[in-house]
Amino acid sequence: MADHASRRGAANLGMPLMFASFIVIAGFLYWLNLQAKAENAADAAAETARTETDSYVGAATTISGQDIQLDPSPYEGQEVRLTGLAVASPLGTQGFWLELPNKNPFLVSMSEAVKAEGLMVTPGENAEVVGTIHSMSDSVLTAWTSSGAMAEGDRLAAEFATHFLEATRVRFTAGQGGD
């Protein structure tokens, strides 16, 4: 007769392994449920933020780059919203240049609240900007330079701007070169 002493208890592992696999599957499904709840909460928060942004932007007139590329003076003093324009380059810590459809730059000056957000201005990104259009003056340039928001070289570039947009809200998204 064959000696089966070395296999004693081996045939009885089927039931414990089956119950262990049910427990593992139940734990995995519970973990998936927690992940889904967290993702739904994040989606709800993003939707709320998007709704708040839309209600904030609701008072601003949405204009295109073509509307201001030749003459922005009709929009002086108005709160406007520009979307889909690429960032051409930063301008000190004060602002940045947007590239209009005719390839000319348009100056955007960030308000103190926007600067406090610590946004990183990266050329090539698309910008959504809400703010008021003002005409450029020497007193504005002097204030920016004396506050240290831009260097003397940046002032020389900014002197060519006839108008600028004082941004109260800025949002960047990946542009042509982005992911």
Side-chain angles (χ1 to χ4, degrees):
M1 287 209 148
D3 184 20
H4 295 292
S6 66
R7 294 191 35 88
R8 190 171 298 152
N12 295 334
L13 287 180
M15 285 297 240
L17 288 175
M18 181 180 67
F19 287 124
S21 66
F22 286 145
I23 291 171
V24 168
I25 290 171
F28 179 68
L29 290 175
Y30 177 72
W31 178 80
L32 281 177
N33 186 23
L34 292 178
Q35 296 299 317
K37 285 181 182 179
E39 189 171 329
N40 286 342
D43 288 346
E47 183 63 33
T48 302
R50 198 173 306 120
T51 302
E52 289 173 0
T53 299
D54 291 344
S55 65
Y56 172 78
V57 174
T61 304
T62 301
I63 60 173
S64 69
Q66 292 177 343
D67 295 334
I68 60 170
Q69 69 185 359
L70 296 178
D71 184 20
S73 58
Y75 298 101
E76 262 184 54
Q78 292 184 26
E79 188 174 31
V80 297
R81 176 180 179 228
L82 287 169
T83 59
L85 296 176
V87 174
S89 66
L91 178 73
T93 60
Q94 181 67 33
F96 54 93
W97 296 96
L98 289 176
E99 185 177 327
L100 297 175
N102 64 357
K103 304 297 183 198
N104 286 338
F106 188 79
L107 181 59
V108 175
S109 169
M110 296 186 283
S111 66
E112 292 301 321
V114 173
K115 285 195 289 188
E117 292 176 14
L119 297 172
M120 295 297 297
V121 179
T122 306
E125 288 185 320
N126 288 330
E128 177 182 344
V129 184
V130 177
T132 306
I133 292 184
H134 299 285
S135 63
M136 182 58 76
S137 66
D138 284 336
S139 60
V140 170
L141 291 169
T142 303
W144 291 349
T145 307
S146 63
S147 71
M150 68 178 181
E152 206 50 52
D154 291 331
R155 179 190 170 116
L156 293 174
E159 284 179 353
F160 287 99
T162 59
H163 292 79
F164 69 96
L165 185 130
E166 184 178 6
T168 55
R169 186 154 183 88
V170 176
R171 184 172 39 182
F172 296 112
T173 56
Q176 300 87 354
D179 294 333

